[in-house]
Every structure is written in C-alpha cells, then in structure tokens.
C-alpha cells in the first residue's frame, strides 16, 4: 500500500512538472482545514476514530459479510443520512456522538431479530460476488471524498487525481478484510493511515 502511494505521488509530481497548467491547488479541503483550526481535538478524533469507524462500516461491511456486518452497514448508512439533517453549525463531537449513539440503538434492535430469508439470500449473493463488491466499494470510497473538496456534482481530472489515493486505500482496506475476515482490521488500518497524516500535521495542530 505504501509503495503504491509513493508511485502515485511520484507520477503526480511528474505530471505537475511537465503539465504546469494542471492546477493541483484548484480544490482545497476547506471544511477540514476549518475544523483543524477551530478544534484540533475534534479534528484528531474525527480523523483517527470517527471517520475510520463510520467509513469502514459503510464500505467494507458488505465484503464477505456476516449478518452482524450487514446490520452494521445498515446502521452506518442511516448514520450517514442522519448527518445530513443535523445543522452544519452544530458542534462536531456532539453531532457525531448523537449519530453514533442512534446507530448503536438501531444495531442492537436489528441484532435482536432473526435473519430473514431475504437477508440470507442477500448475504450469499454478496459472498459469491465479493470481488466485484470489493472493487466497487473501493471506487465509491474514493468518490465520496470528492465532497471534501466541493459541495456540488462537479468532476474533472484534478478531482480524480485528488481522490485516487483514497481509491487505492479503499482497495487495500478491502484486501485486508478479505484476507482476515474481520471488520476490525480495515478499521485499524484506516485509523493508522489517517493517524500518519495527523502525525505530520501535529506542528500545525499544536500552534
């Protein structure tokens, strides 16, 4: 994974040198930078704990899933939708705390139910097509990060280059799920990946 990152950023540097009109600074993660300035602690918790938990629960749970992981997926999707109804000005930790608590309650309810016939068939289908789900979720994982840079539906080469490392990461997060069969591994790997970024941002965060 690290080697793939290095290769990608080497190629990116090559493109930037020989195609100076390719403005890689065109888009910025303004909302994340604002959070980093306003509340460094909230930024760290978001990056290292909340984002890995929520995103892996959405994008890796359907790769060779257990029934529990399907329930986690449902809760994560509902949590993601729920975030859209909470005002932007709400405190980040309070907002995510409320959503996570609601997701836990829904999860406990789903766990109390007996898996339906439809759910059993759905799980078998996911197992049989796990490679397709793996690649699809890696691509979707990258695509949703477009919203780190823009609010609309715009898409161009620069945005693709900016999200491509996330697609790479999504592929490897899926790979570790396939190989180990547990959601805990991609969550941990995701947290470590984000933690490295946070580590290099510490001088700015501690200012």
């Amino acid at each position: 994974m690290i080697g793939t990152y290095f290769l990608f950023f080497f190629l990116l540097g090559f493109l930037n040198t020989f195609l100076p009109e390719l403005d890689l600074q065109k888009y910025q993660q303004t909302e994340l930078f604002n959070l980093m300035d306003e509340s460094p602690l909230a930024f760290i918790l978001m990056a290292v704990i909340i984002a890995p938990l929520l995103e892996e629960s959405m994008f890796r749970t359907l790769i060779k899933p257990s029934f529990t992981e399907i329930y986690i997926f449902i809760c994560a999707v509902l949590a993601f939708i729920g975030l859209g109804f909470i005002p932007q000005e709400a405190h980040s930790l309070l907002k995510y705390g409320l959503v996570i608590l609601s997701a836990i309650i829904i999860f406990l309810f789903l766990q109390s139910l007996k898996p339906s016939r439809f759910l059993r068939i759905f799980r078998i289908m996911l197992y049989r097509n796990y490679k397709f789900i793996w690649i699809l979720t890696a691509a979707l994982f990258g695509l949703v990060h477009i919203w780190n840079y823009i609010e609309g539906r715009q898409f161009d080469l620069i945005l693709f280059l900016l999200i491509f490392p996330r697609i790479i990461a999504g592929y490897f997060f899926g790979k570790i799920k396939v190989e180990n069969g547990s959601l805990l591994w991609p969550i941990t790997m995701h947290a470590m990946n984000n933690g490295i970024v946070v580590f290099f941002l510490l001088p700015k965060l501690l200012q």
Side-chain angles (χ1 to χ4, degrees):
M1 178 174 172
I2 295 174
T4 310
Y5 274 163
F6 276 120
L7 178 61
F8 170 76
F9 285 111
F10 171 79
L11 292 174
L12 201 61
F14 179 84
L15 287 173
N16 203 29
T17 301
F18 291 95
L19 294 172
E21 65 274 13
L22 198 66
D23 183 11
L24 297 176
Q25 304 301 317
K26 181 178 178 181
Y27 303 105
Q28 298 293 327
Q29 301 182 84
T30 307
E31 189 174 337
L32 286 178
F33 290 146
N34 289 341
L35 178 62
M36 187 167 59
D37 292 335
E38 294 167 7
S39 179
L41 177 60
F43 173 79
I44 292 171
L45 290 175
M46 276 280 298
V48 181
I49 298 176
I50 296 173
L53 278 172
L54 182 58
E55 292 177 3
E56 294 310 303
S57 294
M58 286 182 62
F59 293 104
R60 250 54 71 182
T61 41
L62 297 186
I63 302 172
K64 290 191 170 182
S66 63
F67 288 118
T68 296
E69 288 172 341
I70 294 175
Y71 297 149
I72 291 173
F73 169 77
I74 294 169
C75 293
V77 170
L78 291 175
F80 181 75
I81 294 171
L83 286 171
F85 291 94
I86 299 177
Q88 287 283 342
E89 59 272 15
H91 191 280
S92 297
L93 293 181
L94 181 62
K95 176 169 65 175
Y96 284 96
L98 177 63
V99 167
I100 290 172
L101 179 60
S102 301
I104 290 172
I105 293 170
I106 296 170
F107 172 75
L108 292 174
F109 169 73
L110 292 174
Q111 276 282 74
S112 68
L113 302 176
K114 183 179 179 180
S116 65
R117 182 172 179 272
F118 169 79
L119 195 61
R120 294 176 188 276
I121 294 172
F122 180 60
R123 180 170 176 257
I124 292 170
M125 182 194 72
L126 291 173
Y127 253 83
R128 288 177 177 171
N129 298 281
Y130 80 90
K131 289 184 180 179
F132 172 75
I133 302 298
W134 173 9
I135 301 302
L136 176 64
T137 52
L140 291 174
F141 177 72
L143 286 171
V144 298
H145 283 85
I146 286 177
W147 291 326
N148 285 5
Y149 299 94
I150 59 170
E151 293 183 357
R153 297 182 179 180
Q154 182 180 347
F155 189 76
D156 56 28
L157 176 60
I158 295 172
L159 279 172
F160 174 74
L161 291 173
L162 290 172
I163 67 165
F164 191 71
R166 274 83 167 197
I167 297 175
I168 295 172
Y171 173 84
F172 283 102
F173 295 159
K175 186 175 188 293
I176 200 171
K177 170 71 190 308
V178 169
E179 292 177 349
N180 294 277
S182 170
L183 187 61
L184 182 62
W185 287 98
I187 290 173
T188 303
M189 191 175 181
H190 192 156
M192 290 173 62
N193 181 74
N194 289 6
I196 292 170
V197 176
V198 169
F199 175 78
F200 285 107
L201 289 173
L202 277 179
K204 181 175 176 60
L205 292 169
L206 296 175
Q207 283 180 357

